[in-house]
Amino acid sequence: AGKEDRIRIVLNGVQIHCSDSAAIYARQQGKLILSLEPGSQNILSDGTAYVYDSADSDEPSAALYSKDDLTINGTGSLTVSGNCNDAITCKDHLVIVEGGFDIQSADDGVIGRDSLTVLGGDFTLDVQGDGFKTTNDTDSSKGWMNLTGGSFTITAGADGFQAETDLTISGGDYTLITGGGSVNSSSGSESDGMGGIWGHWQQSSETEEAPSAKGIKAASALTISGGSFSIDSSDDALHTNGVMTISDGCFIISSGDDGAHADTSLAISGGTFHISKSYEGIESADIALSGGDISITASDDGINVAGGNDSSALGGRPGQ
C-alpha cells in the first residue's frame, strides 16, 4: 500500500496465528481501518519469539502491529494474545470506536505511540506490563490519551493507563488492579519491611530505573471530568508529574502509596472519593479543594502539601 492509502480489513469470524511474527502487520499505509463484523468472534495471536528481516530490526513487536494510523471499529469481538511482547501497537494515532476486546500480553496491552483515543468498547486485559499507553516523548503535541467511554477491567503488572503527555478522561467504567494491588505496597511499609517487588528493586541496583505500577498516570497533565473508578494499586492510584484536575467522577481507591499525587498542582472541584487505604491520601506541591465528597484513610498524611517530616516526597521512595 502507498503512504496515503486508506485500507480496510473486515474481520468476520477469523483466527489468525503467526508463530514467528505479528498476526496482522500493517507495514505501510495512510490509515488502516480494522472492522469487527457485528456478532463475529475473532482471534489474533503470535508466537513467543519473532524472526526479523535483519539483526538491527525490532518491528513488528505486537500480535496486531501498525506502523501508521489505525482505527478499530465494529461491534464484534477481538481476542488478542501477545505471547512475545505486546498485544496491539500503533506507531502513529490509534482510535478505538467500539467492540469487545479480550487481551493478554507478555508485556503491554494497547499502545498508540503518538496518541490513543477510546470512544467506547468493552475491554478485559491481563498483561504483564502496562494496560494502555502512549510512548512519544519527543514531541510535546503528541503522546496524549483521550478516554470518553467504555468499560475497562484491567489487571496489569505495571501501570493501568500511562500517557507520555496529557491524559483526559470524560467517562467510562474502570476496574484496575496494578502491581499486584495495594497489598504489594510501593511505600515499603508492609510487614516485611521491604515492600515486596519495590523493596527488591531498592536493594538490587541504585542505577536501575524504578518500576511503576500506578492506576492512572500522565507525565504532563491528568484531567478527569467523569467516570466510575475502582482502583487497587501497589503504587499511586492517580498520578501525574505535572497538573491534576478532577471535576467529577466516582473513585473507590485502595493504594499501596498515594491515593492521588501531582508533582505541580492538584485541584478537585467535584466528585466522590473513598480512599480506603493509602500512604498519603492526596499529595501535591499545591492543592485546591473546592468541592466533592472526600473520605481518606492514610498511614501517613491524609492531605500533604509540603513533603512532611519524614521526607517521603523528597527522594528515595518509588512512586514519590
Side-chain angles (χ1 to χ4, degrees):
K3 287 184 175 293
E4 303 301 323
D5 286 346
R6 186 182 182 95
I7 307 300
R8 187 177 184 212
I9 298 175
V10 180
L11 301 184
N12 186 9
V14 302
Q15 181 171 339
I16 305 174
H17 173 76
C18 184
S19 61
D20 59 4
S21 188
I24 294 179
Y25 179 19
R27 193 183 295 264
Q28 176 178 284
Q29 79 278 353
K31 174 184 285 189
L32 169 63
I33 301 174
L34 190 67
S35 297
L36 308 176
E37 187 72 9
S40 68
Q41 298 180 358
N42 307 282
I43 301 173
L44 306 179
S45 63
D46 58 10
T48 56
Y50 283 14
V51 176
Y52 294 107
D53 295 336
S54 62
D56 59 353
S57 177
D58 60 358
E59 294 180 347
S61 59
L64 169 55
Y65 191 90
S66 175
K67 293 190 68 173
D68 298 296
D69 291 348
L70 170 63
T71 294
I72 303 176
N73 62 17
T75 58
S77 70
L78 181 63
T79 296
V80 184
S81 296
N83 298 304
C84 180
N85 194 23
D86 305 323
I88 299 173
T89 293
C90 171
K91 293 294 293 293
D92 279 353
H93 301 284
L94 172 59
V95 178
I96 301 176
V97 179
E98 57 190 345
F101 299 84
D102 188 351
I103 296 171
Q104 300 90 35
S105 69
D107 194 7
D108 301 324
V110 181
I111 300 175
R113 182 178 185 271
D114 289 346
S115 74
L116 200 166
T117 299
V118 180
L119 304 178
D122 191 347
F123 302 86
T124 300
L125 275 70
D126 188 353
V127 299
Q128 300 302 307
D130 299 321
F132 288 75
K133 71 187 296 185
T134 58
T135 59
N136 192 329
D137 59 359
T138 61
D139 186 341
S140 60
S141 67
K142 299 178 180 179
W144 49 268
M145 189 183 304
N146 185 20
L147 310 173
T148 65
S151 176
F152 304 84
T153 301
I154 299 176
T155 301
D159 301 319
F161 293 87
Q162 198 240 174
E164 198 60 47
T165 55
D166 297 347
L167 200 166
T168 303
I169 303 174
S170 57
D173 296 315
Y174 304 82
T175 300
L176 313 178
I177 301 174
T178 64
S182 59
V183 67
N184 186 26
S185 173
S186 69
S187 67
S189 60
E190 296 300 302
S191 58
D192 63 1
M194 295 175 60
I197 60 172
W198 306 94
H200 171 75
W201 168 80
Q202 289 174 319
Q203 296 180 21
S204 63
S205 172
E206 293 183 358
T207 59
E208 183 181 348
E209 184 179 355
S212 176
K214 298 171 175 63
I216 299 174
K217 171 185 174 184
S220 299
L222 175 60
T223 303
I224 301 176
S225 59
S228 176
F229 305 83
S230 175
I231 303 175
D232 184 6
S233 59
S234 67
D235 206 342
D236 297 342
L238 306 174
H239 178 97
T240 177
N241 298 340
V243 176
M244 185 183 304
T245 305
I246 300 175
S247 58
D248 201 0
C250 178
F251 302 84
I252 299 174
I253 290 173
S254 179
S255 172
D257 202 344
D258 298 336
H261 174 102
D263 284 359
T264 303
S265 66
L266 191 156
I268 296 175
S269 60
T272 301
F273 300 81
H274 180 63
I275 302 175
S276 62
K277 179 183 178 182
S278 63
Y279 182 71
E280 291 178 322
I282 297 174
E283 180 179 63
S284 182
D286 182 276
I287 296 177
L289 304 178
S290 59
D293 187 346
I294 304 172
S295 170
I296 296 173
T297 299
S299 59
D300 193 45
D301 301 328
I303 298 174
N304 179 21
V305 189
N309 292 331
D310 64 357
S311 301
S312 65
L314 301 181
R317 181 169 62 83
Q320 62 191 27

Short mmCIF file of all heavy atoms in Angstrom, two decimals, residues 3-58:
data_model
loop_
_atom_site.label_atom_id
_atom_site.label_comp_id
_atom_site.label_asym_id
_atom_site.label_seq_id
_atom_site.Cartn_x
_atom_site.Cartn_y
_atom_site.Cartn_z
N LYS A 3 1.77 5.35 0.89
CA LYS A 3 1.80 6.09 2.16
C LYS A 3 0.51 6.84 2.45
O LYS A 3 0.24 7.19 3.59
CB LYS A 3 2.98 7.07 2.17
CG LYS A 3 4.33 6.39 2.34
CD LYS A 3 5.42 7.43 2.43
CE LYS A 3 6.77 6.78 2.71
NZ LYS A 3 6.80 6.17 4.05
N GLU A 4 -0.29 7.11 1.42
CA GLU A 4 -1.54 7.84 1.62
C GLU A 4 -2.76 6.94 1.48
O GLU A 4 -3.89 7.42 1.59
CB GLU A 4 -1.63 8.99 0.61
CG GLU A 4 -0.47 9.97 0.65
CD GLU A 4 -0.31 10.62 2.02
OE1 GLU A 4 -1.34 10.91 2.67
OE2 GLU A 4 0.84 10.83 2.45
N ASP A 5 -2.58 5.68 1.25
CA ASP A 5 -3.72 4.78 1.01
C ASP A 5 -4.52 4.52 2.28
O ASP A 5 -3.98 4.39 3.37
CB ASP A 5 -3.24 3.44 0.44
CG ASP A 5 -2.79 3.56 -1.01
OD1 ASP A 5 -3.11 4.59 -1.63
OD2 ASP A 5 -2.12 2.65 -1.50
N ARG A 6 -5.83 4.41 2.08
CA ARG A 6 -6.76 4.09 3.16
C ARG A 6 -7.18 2.63 2.98
O ARG A 6 -7.82 2.27 2.00
CB ARG A 6 -7.97 5.03 3.09
CG ARG A 6 -8.95 4.92 4.23
CD ARG A 6 -10.10 5.89 3.97
NE ARG A 6 -11.09 5.89 5.02
CZ ARG A 6 -11.09 6.75 6.04
NH1 ARG A 6 -10.14 7.66 6.14
NH2 ARG A 6 -12.03 6.72 6.96
N ILE A 7 -6.79 1.80 3.93
CA ILE A 7 -7.00 0.36 3.83
C ILE A 7 -8.05 -0.08 4.84
O ILE A 7 -8.05 0.38 5.98
CB ILE A 7 -5.69 -0.41 4.10
CG1 ILE A 7 -4.58 0.10 3.20
CG2 ILE A 7 -5.88 -1.90 3.91
CD1 ILE A 7 -4.85 -0.04 1.72
N ARG A 8 -8.95 -0.98 4.41
CA ARG A 8 -9.95 -1.51 5.33
C ARG A 8 -9.88 -3.02 5.34
O ARG A 8 -9.87 -3.66 4.29
CB ARG A 8 -11.35 -1.05 4.95
CG ARG A 8 -12.40 -1.46 6.00
CD ARG A 8 -13.78 -0.93 5.67
NE ARG A 8 -14.72 -1.26 6.74
CZ ARG A 8 -16.01 -1.51 6.55
NH1 ARG A 8 -16.51 -1.49 5.34
NH2 ARG A 8 -16.79 -1.79 7.56
N ILE A 9 -9.81 -3.60 6.54
CA ILE A 9 -9.87 -5.04 6.73
C ILE A 9 -11.07 -5.34 7.61
O ILE A 9 -11.20 -4.77 8.69
CB ILE A 9 -8.59 -5.59 7.39
CG1 ILE A 9 -7.36 -5.31 6.51
CG2 ILE A 9 -8.70 -7.08 7.66
CD1 ILE A 9 -6.05 -5.72 7.16
N VAL A 10 -11.93 -6.22 7.15
CA VAL A 10 -13.09 -6.65 7.93
C VAL A 10 -12.81 -8.04 8.48
O VAL A 10 -12.53 -8.97 7.72
CB VAL A 10 -14.37 -6.66 7.08
CG1 VAL A 10 -15.56 -7.12 7.93
CG2 VAL A 10 -14.63 -5.29 6.50
N LEU A 11 -12.87 -8.19 9.80
CA LEU A 11 -12.72 -9.49 10.44
C LEU A 11 -14.10 -10.04 10.74
O LEU A 11 -14.89 -9.41 11.42
CB LEU A 11 -11.90 -9.37 11.73
CG LEU A 11 -10.48 -8.80 11.60
CD1 LEU A 11 -9.77 -8.83 12.95
CD2 LEU A 11 -9.68 -9.56 10.55
N ASN A 12 -14.38 -11.24 10.20
CA ASN A 12 -15.71 -11.82 10.34
C ASN A 12 -15.57 -13.30 10.71
O ASN A 12 -15.74 -14.18 9.88
CB ASN A 12 -16.50 -11.64 9.04
CG ASN A 12 -17.94 -12.09 9.18
OD1 ASN A 12 -18.41 -12.38 10.27
ND2 ASN A 12 -18.64 -12.15 8.06
N GLY A 13 -15.17 -13.54 11.97
CA GLY A 13 -15.05 -14.91 12.44
C GLY A 13 -13.75 -15.57 12.02
O GLY A 13 -13.76 -16.69 11.50
N VAL A 14 -12.63 -14.88 12.21
CA VAL A 14 -11.34 -15.42 11.79
C VAL A 14 -10.46 -15.75 13.00
O VAL A 14 -10.63 -15.20 14.09
CB VAL A 14 -10.57 -14.44 10.88
CG1 VAL A 14 -11.40 -14.11 9.65
CG2 VAL A 14 -10.21 -13.17 11.64
N GLN A 15 -9.53 -16.67 12.77
CA GLN A 15 -8.50 -17.00 13.75
C GLN A 15 -7.17 -16.96 13.01
O GLN A 15 -6.91 -17.79 12.13
CB GLN A 15 -8.74 -18.37 14.38
CG GLN A 15 -7.70 -18.74 15.44
CD GLN A 15 -8.07 -20.00 16.20
OE1 GLN A 15 -9.25 -20.39 16.23
NE2 GLN A 15 -7.09 -20.63 16.80
N ILE A 16 -6.32 -16.00 13.37
CA ILE A 16 -5.04 -15.82 12.69
C ILE A 16 -3.91 -15.98 13.70
O ILE A 16 -3.87 -15.29 14.72
CB ILE A 16 -4.94 -14.43 12.03
CG1 ILE A 16 -6.12 -14.20 11.07
CG2 ILE A 16 -3.62 -14.28 11.29
CD1 ILE A 16 -6.18 -12.80 10.50
N HIS A 17 -2.99 -16.89 13.39
CA HIS A 17 -1.83 -17.12 14.26
C HIS A 17 -0.57 -17.10 13.40
O HIS A 17 -0.52 -17.71 12.33
CB HIS A 17 -1.93 -18.46 14.98
CG HIS A 17 -0.68 -18.83 15.74
ND1 HIS A 17 -0.36 -18.24 16.93
CD2 HIS A 17 0.32 -19.70 15.45
CE1 HIS A 17 0.78 -18.74 17.37
NE2 HIS A 17 1.22 -19.63 16.49
N CYS A 18 0.44 -16.39 13.88
CA CYS A 18 1.75 -16.42 13.23
C CYS A 18 2.78 -16.79 14.29
O CYS A 18 2.89 -16.11 15.31
CB CYS A 18 2.09 -15.07 12.60
SG CYS A 18 3.66 -15.10 11.70
N SER A 19 3.52 -17.86 14.05
CA SER A 19 4.43 -18.37 15.08
C SER A 19 5.70 -17.55 15.24
O SER A 19 6.35 -17.62 16.28
CB SER A 19 4.81 -19.82 14.77
OG SER A 19 5.49 -19.90 13.52
N ASP A 20 6.07 -16.74 14.20
CA ASP A 20 7.35 -16.03 14.27
C ASP A 20 7.23 -14.54 13.95
O ASP A 20 8.23 -13.88 13.69
CB ASP A 20 8.39 -16.68 13.35
CG ASP A 20 7.95 -16.70 11.89
OD1 ASP A 20 6.88 -16.15 11.58
OD2 ASP A 20 8.69 -17.29 11.08
N SER A 21 6.00 -13.99 13.95
CA SER A 21 5.82 -12.56 13.71
C SER A 21 4.40 -12.17 14.12
O SER A 21 3.70 -12.94 14.79
CB SER A 21 6.06 -12.23 12.23
OG SER A 21 6.06 -10.82 12.04
N ALA A 22 3.99 -10.97 13.72
CA ALA A 22 2.65 -10.48 14.05
C ALA A 22 1.59 -11.24 13.26
O ALA A 22 1.82 -11.67 12.13
CB ALA A 22 2.55 -8.99 13.74
N ALA A 23 0.42 -11.39 13.85
CA ALA A 23 -0.70 -11.98 13.13
C ALA A 23 -1.19 -11.04 12.03
O ALA A 23 -1.49 -11.47 10.91
CB ALA A 23 -1.83 -12.31 14.09
N ILE A 24 -1.26 -9.74 12.33
CA ILE A 24 -1.55 -8.72 11.32
C ILE A 24 -0.46 -7.65 11.43
O ILE A 24 -0.25 -7.07 12.50
CB ILE A 24 -2.93 -8.08 11.52
CG1 ILE A 24 -4.03 -9.12 11.29
CG2 ILE A 24 -3.11 -6.89 10.58
CD1 ILE A 24 -5.44 -8.56 11.49
N TYR A 25 0.24 -7.41 10.32
CA TYR A 25 1.33 -6.43 10.28
C TYR A 25 1.03 -5.43 9.17
O TYR A 25 1.10 -5.77 7.99
CB TYR A 25 2.66 -7.14 10.04
CG TYR A 25 3.88 -6.24 9.96
CD1 TYR A 25 3.87 -4.94 10.47
CD2 TYR A 25 5.05 -6.71 9.38
CE1 TYR A 25 4.99 -4.15 10.40
CE2 TYR A 25 6.19 -5.92 9.30
CZ TYR A 25 6.15 -4.63 9.81
OH TYR A 25 7.27 -3.84 9.75
N ALA A 26 0.66 -4.20 9.54
CA ALA A 26 0.44 -3.13 8.57
C ALA A 26 1.75 -2.38 8.41
O ALA A 26 2.08 -1.51 9.21
CB ALA A 26 -0.68 -2.21 9.04
N ARG A 27 2.48 -2.70 7.37
CA ARG A 27 3.83 -2.18 7.18
C ARG A 27 3.82 -0.73 6.70
O ARG A 27 4.67 0.07 7.06
CB ARG A 27 4.57 -3.07 6.18
CG ARG A 27 6.07 -2.85 6.11
CD ARG A 27 6.67 -3.74 5.04
NE ARG A 27 6.53 -5.15 5.36
CZ ARG A 27 7.49 -5.87 5.95
NH1 ARG A 27 8.63 -5.30 6.30
NH2 ARG A 27 7.31 -7.14 6.19
N GLN A 28 2.86 -0.39 5.84
CA GLN A 28 2.77 0.98 5.33
C GLN A 28 1.37 1.25 4.81
O GLN A 28 0.79 0.43 4.11
CB GLN A 28 3.79 1.20 4.21
CG GLN A 28 3.69 2.58 3.57
CD GLN A 28 4.75 2.79 2.50
OE1 GLN A 28 5.90 3.01 2.81
NE2 GLN A 28 4.36 2.68 1.24
N GLN A 29 0.81 2.42 5.18
CA GLN A 29 -0.49 2.86 4.69
C GLN A 29 -0.74 4.26 5.21
O GLN A 29 -0.01 4.75 6.07
CB GLN A 29 -1.61 1.92 5.17
CG GLN A 29 -2.09 2.09 6.59
CD GLN A 29 -1.21 1.41 7.61
OE1 GLN A 29 -0.29 0.68 7.27
NE2 GLN A 29 -1.48 1.64 8.89
N GLY A 30 -1.78 4.93 4.67
CA GLY A 30 -2.18 6.20 5.25
C GLY A 30 -2.94 5.95 6.54
O GLY A 30 -2.65 6.51 7.58
N LYS A 31 -3.93 5.07 6.47
CA LYS A 31 -4.70 4.65 7.64
C LYS A 31 -5.23 3.25 7.41
O LYS A 31 -5.67 2.91 6.30
CB LYS A 31 -5.87 5.60 7.90
CG LYS A 31 -6.81 5.13 9.02
CD LYS A 31 -8.01 6.03 9.20
CE LYS A 31 -7.61 7.32 9.91
NZ LYS A 31 -8.82 8.11 10.28
N LEU A 32 -5.17 2.44 8.45
CA LEU A 32 -5.80 1.12 8.43
C LEU A 32 -7.05 1.18 9.28
O LEU A 32 -7.00 1.59 10.44
CB LEU A 32 -4.85 0.06 8.98
CG LEU A 32 -5.48 -1.32 9.24
CD1 LEU A 32 -5.98 -1.94 7.94
CD2 LEU A 32 -4.48 -2.26 9.93
N ILE A 33 -8.20 0.78 8.70
CA ILE A 33 -9.45 0.65 9.45
C ILE A 33 -9.71 -0.84 9.61
O ILE A 33 -9.93 -1.56 8.63
CB ILE A 33 -10.61 1.33 8.71
CG1 ILE A 33 -10.32 2.82 8.51
CG2 ILE A 33 -11.91 1.14 9.50
CD1 ILE A 33 -11.34 3.54 7.67
N LEU A 34 -9.69 -1.30 10.84
CA LEU A 34 -9.94 -2.70 11.15
C LEU A 34 -11.34 -2.81 11.72
O LEU A 34 -11.61 -2.30 12.81
CB LEU A 34 -8.90 -3.20 12.16
CG LEU A 34 -8.87 -4.71 12.42
CD1 LEU A 34 -8.39 -5.44 11.18
CD2 LEU A 34 -7.95 -5.02 13.59
N SER A 35 -12.25 -3.44 10.98
CA SER A 35 -13.65 -3.51 11.38
C SER A 35 -14.00 -4.90 11.88
O SER A 35 -13.64 -5.90 11.26
CB SER A 35 -14.56 -3.14 10.20
OG SER A 35 -14.34 -1.81 9.79
N LEU A 36 -14.69 -4.94 13.02
CA LEU A 36 -15.14 -6.19 13.61
C LEU A 36 -16.61 -6.39 13.25
O LEU A 36 -17.48 -5.67 13.75
CB LEU A 36 -14.95 -6.15 15.13
CG LEU A 36 -13.55 -5.75 15.62
CD1 LEU A 36 -13.52 -5.64 17.14
CD2 LEU A 36 -12.50 -6.73 15.13
N GLU A 37 -16.87 -7.35 12.38
CA GLU A 37 -18.23 -7.59 11.90
C GLU A 37 -19.17 -7.86 13.08
O GLU A 37 -18.82 -8.63 14.00
CB GLU A 37 -18.24 -8.78 10.94
CG GLU A 37 -19.57 -9.03 10.26
CD GLU A 37 -19.91 -8.01 9.20
OE1 GLU A 37 -19.04 -7.18 8.85
OE2 GLU A 37 -21.05 -8.05 8.70
N PRO A 38 -20.34 -7.24 13.13
CA PRO A 38 -21.28 -7.47 14.23
C PRO A 38 -21.56 -8.96 14.44
O PRO A 38 -21.80 -9.70 13.48
CB PRO A 38 -22.53 -6.73 13.78
CG PRO A 38 -22.02 -5.64 12.90
CD PRO A 38 -20.84 -6.23 12.18
N GLY A 39 -21.49 -9.40 15.68
CA GLY A 39 -21.74 -10.79 16.02
C GLY A 39 -20.57 -11.73 15.82
O GLY A 39 -20.65 -12.91 16.17
N SER A 40 -19.47 -11.25 15.27
CA SER A 40 -18.34 -12.12 14.97
C SER A 40 -17.38 -12.22 16.16
O SER A 40 -17.27 -11.32 16.97
CB SER A 40 -17.57 -11.61 13.75
OG SER A 40 -16.91 -10.38 14.04
N GLN A 41 -16.69 -13.35 16.24
CA GLN A 41 -15.63 -13.58 17.23
C GLN A 41 -14.34 -13.81 16.47
O GLN A 41 -14.24 -14.71 15.64
CB GLN A 41 -15.96 -14.78 18.12
CG GLN A 41 -17.23 -14.59 18.95
CD GLN A 41 -17.53 -15.78 19.83
OE1 GLN A 41 -16.83 -16.78 19.82
NE2 GLN A 41 -18.60 -15.68 20.61
N ASN A 42 -13.33 -13.00 16.78
CA ASN A 42 -12.09 -13.01 16.02
C ASN A 42 -10.89 -13.16 16.96
O ASN A 42 -10.89 -12.58 18.06
CB ASN A 42 -11.96 -11.73 15.20
CG ASN A 42 -13.19 -11.48 14.34
OD1 ASN A 42 -13.36 -12.08 13.31
ND2 ASN A 42 -14.08 -10.59 14.81
N ILE A 43 -9.88 -13.90 16.54
CA ILE A 43 -8.74 -14.23 17.40
C ILE A 43 -7.44 -13.96 16.65
O ILE A 43 -7.25 -14.44 15.53
CB ILE A 43 -8.78 -15.70 17.85
CG1 ILE A 43 -10.08 -16.00 18.61
CG2 ILE A 43 -7.58 -16.03 18.71
CD1 ILE A 43 -10.26 -17.47 18.94
N LEU A 44 -6.55 -13.20 17.28
CA LEU A 44 -5.21 -12.95 16.76
C LEU A 44 -4.19 -13.40 17.80
O LEU A 44 -4.35 -13.12 18.99
CB LEU A 44 -4.99 -11.46 16.46
CG LEU A 44 -6.01 -10.77 15.54
CD1 LEU A 44 -5.63 -9.29 15.40
CD2 LEU A 44 -6.06 -11.44 14.19
N SER A 45 -3.13 -14.06 17.36
CA SER A 45 -2.09 -14.49 18.30
C SER A 45 -0.76 -14.62 17.59
O SER A 45 -0.70 -14.80 16.36
CB SER A 45 -2.47 -15.82 18.96
OG SER A 45 -2.57 -16.86 18.00
N ASP A 46 0.31 -14.51 18.36
CA ASP A 46 1.66 -14.68 17.83
C ASP A 46 2.40 -15.74 18.63
O ASP A 46 1.88 -16.28 19.62
CB ASP A 46 2.42 -13.35 17.82
CG ASP A 46 2.53 -12.72 19.20
OD1 ASP A 46 2.18 -13.39 20.20
OD2 ASP A 46 2.97 -11.56 19.29
N GLY A 47 3.63 -16.02 18.22
CA GLY A 47 4.47 -16.96 18.95
C GLY A 47 5.28 -16.26 20.03
O GLY A 47 5.13 -15.06 20.26
N THR A 48 6.14 -16.98 20.67
CA THR A 48 6.92 -16.43 21.79
C THR A 48 8.23 -15.79 21.32
O THR A 48 8.93 -15.18 22.12
CB THR A 48 7.23 -17.52 22.82
OG1 THR A 48 7.92 -18.60 22.17
CG2 THR A 48 5.95 -18.05 23.44
N ALA A 49 8.58 -15.94 20.04
CA ALA A 49 9.80 -15.33 19.50
C ALA A 49 9.57 -14.96 18.05
O ALA A 49 8.95 -15.72 17.29
CB ALA A 49 10.98 -16.29 19.64
N TYR A 50 10.08 -13.78 17.64
CA TYR A 50 9.93 -13.30 16.27
C TYR A 50 11.22 -13.54 15.48
O TYR A 50 12.31 -13.51 16.03
CB TYR A 50 9.61 -11.81 16.24
CG TYR A 50 8.17 -11.46 16.59
CD1 TYR A 50 7.31 -12.37 17.17
CD2 TYR A 50 7.68 -10.17 16.36
CE1 TYR A 50 6.00 -12.04 17.50
CE2 TYR A 50 6.38 -9.83 16.68
CZ TYR A 50 5.54 -10.76 17.25
OH TYR A 50 4.25 -10.43 17.57
N VAL A 51 11.07 -13.70 14.16
CA VAL A 51 12.20 -13.74 13.24
C VAL A 51 12.14 -12.46 12.40
O VAL A 51 11.16 -12.22 11.70
CB VAL A 51 12.13 -14.98 12.32
CG1 VAL A 51 13.27 -14.94 11.30
CG2 VAL A 51 12.19 -16.26 13.14
N TYR A 52 13.18 -11.62 12.52
CA TYR A 52 13.19 -10.32 11.84
C TYR A 52 14.00 -10.37 10.56
O TYR A 52 14.84 -11.25 10.36
CB TYR A 52 13.74 -9.24 12.78
CG TYR A 52 12.86 -8.98 13.98
CD1 TYR A 52 13.24 -9.42 15.24
CD2 TYR A 52 11.66 -8.31 13.84
CE1 TYR A 52 12.43 -9.18 16.35
CE2 TYR A 52 10.84 -8.07 14.94
CZ TYR A 52 11.23 -8.51 16.19
OH TYR A 52 10.42 -8.28 17.27
N ASP A 53 13.75 -9.37 9.69
CA ASP A 53 14.44 -9.31 8.40
C ASP A 53 15.93 -9.07 8.55
O ASP A 53 16.72 -9.50 7.72
CB ASP A 53 13.83 -8.20 7.54
CG ASP A 53 12.39 -8.47 7.17
OD1 ASP A 53 12.00 -9.66 7.17
OD2 ASP A 53 11.64 -7.51 6.92
N SER A 54 16.31 -8.36 9.63
CA SER A 54 17.73 -8.07 9.86
C SER A 54 18.00 -8.06 11.35
O SER A 54 17.08 -7.96 12.17
CB SER A 54 18.13 -6.73 9.24
OG SER A 54 17.40 -5.67 9.84
N ALA A 55 19.27 -8.10 11.71
CA ALA A 55 19.66 -8.18 13.11
C ALA A 55 19.33 -6.91 13.88
O ALA A 55 19.11 -6.95 15.10
CB ALA A 55 21.15 -8.48 13.23
N ASP A 56 19.28 -5.76 13.20
CA ASP A 56 19.00 -4.49 13.87
C ASP A 56 17.52 -4.11 13.83
O ASP A 56 17.14 -3.02 14.23
CB ASP A 56 19.85 -3.37 13.29
CG ASP A 56 19.60 -3.16 11.80
OD1 ASP A 56 18.88 -3.99 11.20
OD2 ASP A 56 20.13 -2.19 11.24
N SER A 57 16.66 -4.99 13.35
CA SER A 57 15.23 -4.70 13.26
C SER A 57 14.52 -5.16 14.54
O SER A 57 14.85 -6.20 15.10
CB SER A 57 14.62 -5.39 12.05
OG SER A 57 13.23 -5.17 12.00
N ASP A 58 13.54 -4.37 14.98
CA ASP A 58 12.73 -4.76 16.13
C ASP A 58 11.24 -4.57 15.85
O ASP A 58 10.44 -4.44 16.77
CB ASP A 58 13.15 -3.98 17.38
CG ASP A 58 13.00 -2.47 17.21
OD1 ASP A 58 12.60 -2.03 16.10
OD2 ASP A 58 13.28 -1.73 18.17
#
